[in-house]
Amino acid sequence: MFHKEFRAIIFQNVLILCASAVLWKQTTVAATQVTRPRGVSLARASLYSPDADFTCLDGSATFPFRYVNDDYCDCQDGSDEPGTSACPNGSFYCRNLGHEAMIVPSSRVNDGICDCCDAADEYQSGANCVNTCKELGSAAQEEAQRRYELESQGYAIKLEYINKGRQAKLSQQERNMALKAEQVEAEALRAEKEREKHEAEEPERQALDKYRQIEQEAVKEKEEIERSKQETEASKAFDWLDSNQDGKLQVEELQTHVAFDQNQDGTVTVEEAKFFLHNEEEMEKSDFIATGWPLIKPFVMKAQGLENPSQPDQQTGEIPLPDDHQQDESMPETEGEEEEDEEHEEEAEPVKPSPVTPNSVEYDAETQELIEVANKARNSYDEADRRLRDLEREIRQLEESNSKDYGPNEEYQPMDGQCYEYSDREYTYKLCPFDNGSQRPKHGGSETRLGSWDSWDGPAENKYGAMKYDKGVQCWNGPQRSLKVHLSCGMENQLLSVSEPNRCEYEMKFTTPAACGEPKKPDDGDSEIHDEL
Ligand code: MAN
């Protein structure tokens, strides 16, 4: 920094000719000549009047104007040295005629590096800067024009989206109103059908109650017959096994039947025989019927080559008596499986749709008629109930969709219901806007939900610049997955890239015409800086 004695007034009249800009803009404003110190913008020129003392722009001091740009820093805010590097916090303005005006920190003035395209920052360093503003200006112009065209096309599509979105919202609202009217009707109809159902079910219930009693009696009777058949079978078996006819079954009597040779060594031992007599020497007929026969019967059947205990003869309840041609001639013949199956089939006669236990009961015509009427009423009720529930579901879905924020002009609505994919080396990612985002391994494996639609998540000045999807699948030893989608203007809806900056926190870049702003025609590229205080 120089001492005051060495102050040199570096002052320069800068002639600003706005003619080129004026020509570009095709207006007819006359050329303006403004004098101002080096490094001062057009907007601040009036604050630097050579005819008066200079007051620092922060108001901290006032001194003669010749101190401005004397390469000595007088103002705390650096405003007295706009054209030198004397103030560490000062700034230097370059006009860059033909391109964009620019403000650089004072430290860059005469530092040997060309910062301004018009070379104005290097007026004393001998850096040999060349004015490149014209070339830069026209390249920037071309780029701005290209962007403008892109944005115009994107915006045209956005207008279509807005149309579609509004249309969809309108028809959803209309449909919702129609459905609500239908819902009222459907509720009334269901109530009526419910009443009719109750009315039809009451006489049906009474009629079936009567049958239920008959049914229970029939079951009891059947059980009784069954029991008596078992007894008859057991009694006949006893009579036959009781070869000395003394009314008791003895060890010796059982020893004569090979069927009781449990270890199959060719002899029925006393122990083997006693096993069937509950370890007694003999057994009474009544004990045999109650507990003996059920124990013995499987051995008898095995001897006959049958797997399961058979039923006695259906008509007589008897087991066939021994036959000379049996394997073990002494054995009474029990019944085989085939017959049992046949009997079973006969029994399995379905009775529809009675709540009474299915069996062979046949309803009289009047009851049958009552069942049919009640069935019809039940079916009608079910149908009315289904219709109402379908309506309610559709209304819920519509209301859910209607409550979604599709952007300030419904421009994002057409993306709802669509899905877009992007693949990297490992995964195929899918974004279904307003629904969810997911990830699927490319080489097999199931889809993992990264998040479900939550809300718009852009910065305060552009809420619609990003979307948030959260509550995805929990990460192993980590948080639930979540996803942020950054939206930018593009000619089509496209998922551009996906990253995972933090474990299980995903980011997507997505272009869409819906994010395009109203295109602004590019200016001549020769822009000024509006840096008024
Ligand atoms: C899976 C993927 C990855 C994630 C890990 C976390 O491999 O979902 O994106 O980082 O799980 O364990």
Side-chain angles (χ1 to χ4, degrees), residues 35-312:
T35 56
R36 51 193 161 125
R38 187 194 296 276
V40 173
S41 69
L42 186 60
R44 292 188 173 182
S46 63
L47 302 169
Y48 292 82
S49 166
D51 305 329
D53 281 350
F54 177 72
T55 299
C56 302
L57 299 187
D58 63 1
S60 57
T62 301
F63 39 74
F65 190 76
R66 66 174 188 283
Y67 291 5
V68 171
N69 276 346
D70 66 348
D71 210 11
Y72 184 87
C73 194
D74 295 287
C75 297
Q76 281 171 7
D77 66 354
S79 57
D80 63 314
E81 293 299 317
T84 76
S85 57
C87 293
N89 56 342
S91 51
F92 179 87
Y93 164 90
C94 36
R95 173 67 187 92
N96 289 345
L97 193 66
H99 191 31
E100 285 172 350
M102 190 171 148
I103 291 172
V104 296
S106 294
S107 57
R108 296 194 187 173
V109 174
N110 290 324
D111 65 350
I113 298 168
C114 313
D115 291 291
C116 302
C117 66
D118 63 1
D121 59 315
E122 297 301 321
Y123 57 90
Q124 237 178 18
S125 67
N128 263 341
C129 296
V130 180
N131 187 329
T132 56
C133 290
K134 211 171 149 211
E135 291 77 24
L136 287 177
S138 55
Q141 264 301 104
E142 274 172 32
E143 173 57 20
Q145 185 61 26
R146 195 193 60 77
R147 235 187 5 249
Y148 170 72
E149 277 161 21
L150 203 79
E151 275 176 2
S152 303
Q153 291 173 42
Y155 191 70
I157 301 173
K158 174 179 178 162
L159 293 179
E160 284 171 26
Y161 281 12
I162 290 177
N163 237 333
K164 269 195 205 159
R166 287 185 175 153
Q167 208 52 53
K169 196 144 224 182
L170 264 178
S171 38
Q172 269 177 10
Q173 279 161 359
E174 278 168 18
R175 174 96 186 113
N176 202 15
M177 271 165 60
L179 287 177
K180 286 245 163 94
E182 257 187 74
Q183 185 188 17
V184 173
E185 243 178 67
E187 271 164 355
L189 187 70
R190 187 180 67 169
E192 187 186 323
K193 295 293 171 195
E194 192 171 13
R195 209 184 46 251
E196 284 173 11
K197 180 169 91 94
H198 287 318
E199 280 169 13
E201 279 178 336
E202 186 48 29
E204 179 202 43
R205 191 186 60 74
Q206 286 172 12
L208 289 179
D209 270 355
K210 203 171 64 198
Y211 276 94
R212 208 168 275 120
Q213 276 171 21
I214 297 172
E215 177 95 343
Q216 280 161 3
E217 278 159 22
V219 168
K220 244 196 226 152
E221 199 179 311
K222 202 171 164 231
E223 280 169 2
E224 188 51 42
I225 291 170
E226 187 61 34
R227 202 182 51 74
S228 126
K229 277 179 188 171
Q230 292 292 342
E231 261 185 44
T232 311
E233 183 186 70
S235 167
K236 294 205 169 190
F238 181 89
D239 291 347
W240 196 84
L241 288 167
D242 180 19
S243 47
N244 62 7
Q245 305 285 300
D246 67 350
K248 286 175 186 160
L249 211 53
Q250 277 104 5
V251 170
E252 305 77 52
E253 285 168 331
L254 292 188
Q255 278 182 297
T256 61
H257 298 286
V258 291
F260 306 130
D261 177 13
Q262 292 174 53
N263 61 5
Q264 304 198 336
D265 64 352
T267 317
V268 181
T269 63
V270 172
E271 284 69 32
E272 282 171 332
K274 278 176 88 175
F275 167 79
F276 297 101
L277 303 177
H278 300 328
N279 281 327
E280 301 289 342
E281 293 299 325
E282 52 184 33
M283 184 180 266
E284 296 284 341
K285 187 171 188 176
S286 57
D287 291 340
F288 181 84
I289 291 171
T291 58
W293 178 233
L295 185 66
I296 284 177
K297 187 171 174 179
F299 289 84
V300 175
M301 286 188 63
K302 201 169 169 210
Q304 290 177 339
L306 296 173
E307 291 281 307
N308 296 313
S310 64
Q311 302 295 316

Side-chain angles (χ1 to χ4, degrees), residues 427 429 439 448 450 475-476 481 500 503-504 506:
Y427 298 102
Y429 290 90
Q439 171 196 59
T448 302
L450 305 182
C475 243
W476 188 74
R481 287 174 175 78
E500 191 181 345
R503 189 166 159 262
C504 300
Y506 303 82

Side-chain angles (χ1 to χ4, degrees), residues 432-496:
C432 305
F434 301 101
D435 190 350
N436 71 82
S438 60
Q439 171 196 59
R440 194 178 62 248
K442 273 167 83 174
H443 309 294
S446 58
E447 198 169 270
T448 302
R449 187 167 280 230
L450 305 182
S452 298
W453 164 249
D454 180 65
S455 56
W456 289 103
D457 198 29
E461 70 281 5
N462 180 23
K463 171 181 154 188
Y464 297 101
M467 293 169 146
K468 186 165 101 185
Y469 295 79
D470 62 6
K471 301 193 180 73
V473 174
Q474 180 96 27
C475 243
W476 188 74
N477 258 350
Q480 274 188 300
R481 287 174 175 78
S482 63
L483 165 68
K484 184 161 182 166
V485 183
H486 299 272
L487 302 170
S488 62
C489 167
M491 293 291 294
E492 54 182 330
N493 293 320
Q494 197 182 356
L495 189 48
L496 281 191

Side-chain angles (χ1 to χ4, degrees), residues 484-528:
K484 184 161 182 166
V485 183
H486 299 272
L487 302 170
S488 62
C489 167
M491 293 291 294
E492 54 182 330
N493 293 320
Q494 197 182 356
L495 189 48
L496 281 191
S497 67
V498 184
S499 59
E500 191 181 345
N502 295 308
R503 189 166 159 262
C504 300
E505 285 176 24
Y506 303 82
E507 296 214 348
M508 291 181 173
K509 284 190 178 152
F510 189 82
T511 60
T512 169
C516 294
E518 199 167 345
K520 279 203 210 80
K521 229 177 167 33
D523 56 25
D524 57 8
D526 182 26
S527 57
E528 255 290 359

Side-chain angles (χ1 to χ4, degrees), residues 172 176 180 183 392-404:
Q172 269 177 10
N176 202 15
K180 286 245 163 94
Q183 185 188 17
E392 285 169 346
R393 190 178 331 105
E394 205 183 333
I395 290 172
R396 246 193 337 272
Q397 282 165 353
L398 271 177
E399 284 177 350
E400 196 183 301
S401 161
N402 223 25
S403 68
K404 278 184 190 162

